Amino acid sequence: MRRPRGFLLLETTLAAGVLAIGVSALLLLQLDSRHRAYETERRARLSLLAASVAEAWLAGEAGAARLAAAQREGAAIAGRDAGVRLHICRLDRDGACQPDGAGPYAVEIDWRDRGERRRLSLMLAPS
Amino acid sequence: MIPRGITVLESVLAMSLGLLLTWAGMRAYALSQASLRQAAERAGRVQEASQLLWRLAQERRGAGFAGCARLRSPPGQGLDWRYGVGAHPVRSVRVEYGRLAALSVDAGAADSLPPGSTALIASCTRVDAVVVGQELLLTRRGGSLRLELLPDVRPAQDEGGHPVTSLELHRLETRRYRVDASRRDLLDQRGERVLDRVAALTLTPAGAGLDRLRLTLDDGMELGLDVARLVRAP
């Protein structure tokens, strides 16, 4: 009598591979969408922080202590590994933040998002 | 020899396993979708809440003044703000027996003063609130609008009266926000919902010259925005 035919190694590997690809794609999609949602939230919170610093600056309250507190707050919002850097500077002609620029003042927040550099800039226009 | 086929037992087993895998896949997909929806919803709520804070901060900046005069805050702390909207410079005044009896502004002011609204006659030293149609009668004459004050509400023009040079006409507008604790909604003065799922909205001093608007959502998420306390020089 002929031996009953079982599943081939190739068939099993192929099935497992297809399943693994499907699951990985689903997981990656979820991770990516979750990260995008997180980044949206982070940006909204950092915008509020920048606006708060701007208001403090307008009220003449943006001293070193306030900026240090805002820096800590920024790190708490974005995460320690995001390398948040918050500063008030003056914009040059190209809109770049320079310590000795002659243009209007701006609040800038830099951070890293999965290795990529992100920046949020809020121009200060005192009335 | 005839090759052996698939037995009923094998078929049933294969189908069961197939069904189990399909069910597990669908379940995993549903769970991941729900989780994604939650994350997206949370991000959306943070954005919505931060936009509301920006708007409130903007409203807060202009509140409490009619021109250069400060409006008295209503009793109790909270988000209850008053504004003088649409400053119309006063062209001329009529004073009778030491009291301000009538004033004249540009005709366009009539559009911003519907009957029943409250008009503010404001200068840098004082503000008088009068109800249009009841205490203040409006008559349009060519390019100007004449406003006649009824005798009972005519402000004295002696010492402490309005300096005529800084006299302006505004419409009083109020913004009031409160959290409906039972429905967890943030409502405005008309009772309309501004934001849902809100636990608290407060305005507290945050150092000299700054107030902090703090919005707490019902899941404990907290957002804050500092607002400069502006002081207008009289």
Side-chain angles (χ1 to χ4, degrees), chain A residues 2 34 41 52 55 66, chain B residues 1 35 42 61 226 228:
Chain A
R2 190 174 161 178
R34 191 181 277 272
E41 183 182 333
S52 291
E55 288 285 328
R66 178 72 180 90
Chain B
M1 196 177 159
S35 162
R42 186 183 154 92
R61 279 185 208 110
D226 291 350

Side-chain angles (χ1 to χ4, degrees), chain B residues 25-137:
Chain B
M26 283 170 70
R27 186 90 189 108
Y29 180 73
L31 278 175
S32 75
Q33 283 300 100
S35 162
L36 277 183
R37 216 173 19 247
Q38 271 178 3
E41 193 187 316
R42 186 183 154 92
R45 290 187 65 210
V46 170
Q47 266 193 319
E48 216 178 324
S50 66
Q51 277 166 10
L52 174 70
L53 280 177
W54 281 89
R55 200 183 92 192
L56 292 178
Q58 209 168 18
E59 288 179 3
R60 171 77 177 85
R61 279 185 208 110
F65 290 94
C68 62
R70 187 179 277 276
L71 297 174
R72 266 201 303 265
S73 298
Q77 291 296 305
L79 300 176
D80 197 333
W81 301 324
R82 295 176 174 196
Y83 307 81
V85 179
H88 300 278
V90 172
R91 289 177 177 177
S92 63
V93 296
R94 195 181 81 234
V95 177
E96 281 179 13
Y97 304 109
R99 289 182 176 274
L100 187 64
L103 36 101
S104 161
V105 294
D106 61 284
D111 299 333
S112 61
L113 293 169
S117 63
T118 302
L120 298 174
I121 300 167
S123 59
C124 284
T125 53
R126 66 177 285 171
V127 182
D128 290 291
V130 281
V131 181
V132 177
Q134 294 173 25
E135 297 165 327
L136 186 72
L137 306 175

Side-chain angles (χ1 to χ4, degrees), chain A residues 1-2 4 19 26 29-30 33-34 37 40-41 44-45 47-48 51-52 55-56 58-59 61 66 73 122, chain B residues 1 3-4 29 32 35-36 39 42-43 46-47 50 54 61 208-210 221-228:
Chain A
M1 199 178 138
R2 190 174 161 178
L19 202 69
L26 201 70
L29 183 74
Q30 188 183 358
S33 302
R34 191 181 277 272
T40 305
E41 183 182 333
R45 284 178 179 274
S47 302
L48 287 176
S52 291
E55 288 285 328
L58 286 170
E61 294 291 319
R66 178 72 180 90
E73 209 178 319
L122 188 69
Chain B
M1 196 177 159
R4 187 180 170 276
Y29 180 73
S32 75
S35 162
L36 277 183
R42 186 183 154 92
V46 170
Q47 266 193 319
S50 66
W54 281 89
R61 279 185 208 110
L210 283 174
M221 196 197 304
E222 205 175 270
L223 295 166
L225 177 60
D226 291 350
V227 189

